[in-house]
Amino acid sequence: MHNTFTYKHADLPAVRPEIKAEIIALGIHADDLILKSQGNYRELEELAETLDNCLDTCELNLNSIRIVADSNSPLPSMRDLPMEEKQIIFSTALTSSIAIEALASVFGKSPQQIASELAE
């Protein structure tokens, strides 16, 4: 199990110079490996798999960070939600939209009428 971190927008920590330097060095090293492996399918495949695993781990860590609105902001936005919550909201809205369109077609009513009746 990994930690979950919550930050306000204003409190997001800056990128530390030593970490920025390591990220740049990693990019340069990856570019160098790609050039050295050019034309070698197996080497490039292994490199791509390694980089893909690193990206997956990085994204998992990014998704464990929740960014909330600063106290002076009246309402949070979709940007403030973790990726999983954004995906749930999107899939729920899409499913609801499809269901309302289907019901409107079956009952010969407008989607607005169906939505209004469902809300009641």
Side-chain angles (χ1 to χ4, degrees), residues 1 5 7 25 28-29 64 67 74-75 78 90:
M1 184 163 173
F5 301 91
Y7 295 101
I28 291 169
H29 189 67
S64 72
I67 302 170
L75 296 172
M78 285 288 286
F90 175 77

Side-chain angles (χ1 to χ4, degrees), residues 5-15 65-68 70:
F5 301 91
T6 302
Y7 295 101
K8 291 182 180 180
H9 280 282
D11 296 333
L12 282 171
V15 177
I65 299 171
R66 183 167 185 235
I67 302 170
V68 296
D70 295 330

